Amino acid sequence: MDPLGLKIILVTCLVFVPLERLFALNSEQKVFRPGWANDLIFLLLNGLVVKLGMLAVIVASLFVAARIVPASVQDSVGGLPFWIQIPLIVLLSDLGVYWIHRMFHAVPWLWRFHEIHHSSEELDWLAATRVHPVDQILTRGAPLLVVIALGFSAWSISVCALLFHWQAFLVHSNVRIGFGPLRLLLVSPAFHHWHHSADREARDRNFAGQLSFLDALFGTLHMPQGRMPTAYGLDQPMRQRYAFQMLYPFVGDRARHYLHLPAENEPHPPISPSARAPLTRRPLG
């Protein structure tokens, strides 16, 4: 039994730490960067919570399938060759991820959860784990509910889940790895780094998790050729404490406001009740 997934964590660490040393995008960034301990707690503790949440999604999927999806549809989908099932799952899942992710940026109460993920000011593989469980369960669970209900095979779903797992770490990692012409088809580290950029021009762009052409299709693609972001994060830094960040979406505006750190030697400005969140991303420059 390995409820915390320590073996997977060890393997992931052994893969990405050397990779980031060999192909560093920011060679000055350290392995033990600011906030790494906070993200390590997310990695260790969130896994179990998310697994329980995903188990609930699987049960819900089976319930929906038994009452809504005809058995003939499930049999037809489950009978497709694996080489057809896997790309179909990737496409359906990423369509779901795209729109759910976009909602997390557009709907104020959802942004409160997602803002935690955008509080990382240095990106590496470990930054991928700084996600509130509610954010992660909704973003991953809704597409999973659909593919299970439609009858895709457990083996195909498992392969895709493994692909999604490694892709999430790769696109956050501190690596200068180009995908060449495939960057217009698949989500690359450059694509997702722009999603985390502090630049105003990049805000609310690049929502896809696997297929970058979805952002081109829906008009949200931002990937300047030959350039990478120079800064990441929020308008003002969020306090690097796991407990604070877990509670952040559930407290009032004033409490959320003070869970951000003020700019250097400056008091917090007044709260605007109509703002999407007390603070968003750091302004350009």
Side-chain angles (χ1 to χ4, degrees):
M1 292 290 290
D2 187 13
L4 296 178
L6 295 178
K7 293 178 183 176
I8 295 294
I9 291 172
L10 178 60
V11 171
T12 307
C13 183
L14 290 175
V15 169
F16 281 100
V17 171
L19 193 67
E20 291 184 332
R21 296 300 92 195
L22 290 171
F23 303 101
L25 174 64
N26 178 5
S27 58
E28 296 181 2
Q29 183 170 305
K30 298 176 181 175
V31 174
F32 299 109
R33 55 165 173 77
W36 76 271
N38 183 54
D39 292 348
L40 183 62
I41 297 173
F42 270 93
L43 177 62
L44 294 173
L45 297 187
N46 274 17
L48 186 57
V49 177
V50 172
K51 284 176 185 175
L52 292 173
M54 299 307 287
L55 180 60
V57 169
I58 292 171
V59 172
S61 304
L62 296 174
F63 179 84
V64 169
R67 285 157 179 77
I68 297 178
V69 182
S72 57
V73 172
Q74 291 184 313
D75 291 341
S76 297
V77 171
L80 291 171
F82 292 134
W83 62 270
I84 294 179
Q85 287 195 48
I86 290 173
L88 278 177
I89 292 172
V90 171
L91 177 60
L92 288 173
S93 297
D94 213 39
L95 273 169
V97 165
Y98 175 91
W99 286 108
I100 294 167
H101 191 180
R102 193 164 175 173
M103 284 176 61
F104 268 97
H105 279 250
V107 179
W109 71 271
L110 289 176
W111 171 249
R112 294 173 192 172
F113 292 97
H114 194 56
E115 188 175 1
I116 294 159
H117 184 56
H118 278 270
S119 68
S120 296
E121 296 194 329
E122 293 182 87
L123 292 189
D124 59 13
W125 71 275
L126 189 57
T129 66
R130 190 188 296 188
V131 186
H132 197 282
V134 172
D135 182 350
Q136 197 162 20
I137 290 168
L138 288 177
T139 303
R140 291 172 53 187
L144 180 62
L145 189 152
V146 172
V147 298
I148 291 177
L150 286 174
F152 286 96
S153 71
W155 188 87
S156 297
I157 293 172
S158 298
V159 170
C160 291
L162 188 62
L163 290 173
F164 297 159
H165 172 83
W166 287 101
Q167 176 79 346
F169 285 117
L170 175 64
V171 299
H172 289 88
S173 59
N174 177 32
V175 294
R176 186 183 295 276
I177 297 177
F179 280 19
L182 288 178
R183 72 186 185 281
L184 301 177
L185 174 66
L186 302 174
V187 168
S188 64
F191 174 99
H192 196 69
H193 276 234
W194 277 112
H195 177 72
H196 281 266
S197 172
D199 294 354
R200 287 189 179 276
E201 61 178 331
R203 295 185 179 188
D204 301 326
R205 297 289 185 268
N206 297 6
F207 295 111
Q210 301 286 314
L211 305 172
S212 57
F213 73 83
L214 293 178
D215 281 276
L217 180 64
F218 297 121
T220 51
L221 179 65
H222 181 82
M223 196 163 44
Q225 186 71 17
R227 285 203 294 131
M228 286 294 288
T230 56
Y232 307 94
L234 303 171
D235 286 334
Q236 288 182 276
M238 185 180 289
R239 296 185 188 276
Q240 300 295 301
R241 295 292 185 275
Y242 176 79
F244 289 163
Q245 293 183 347
M246 289 291 286
L247 291 172
Y248 179 86
F250 303 107
V251 299
D253 284 352
R254 188 164 297 278
R256 284 201 311 278
H257 183 74
Y258 282 99
L259 289 179
H260 286 268
L261 295 170
E264 221 174 287
N265 300 322
E266 291 181 7
H268 283 288
I271 299 169
S272 170
S274 61
R276 175 174 77 169
L279 297 164
T280 50
R281 303 172 189 74
R282 179 173 32 229
L284 179 63

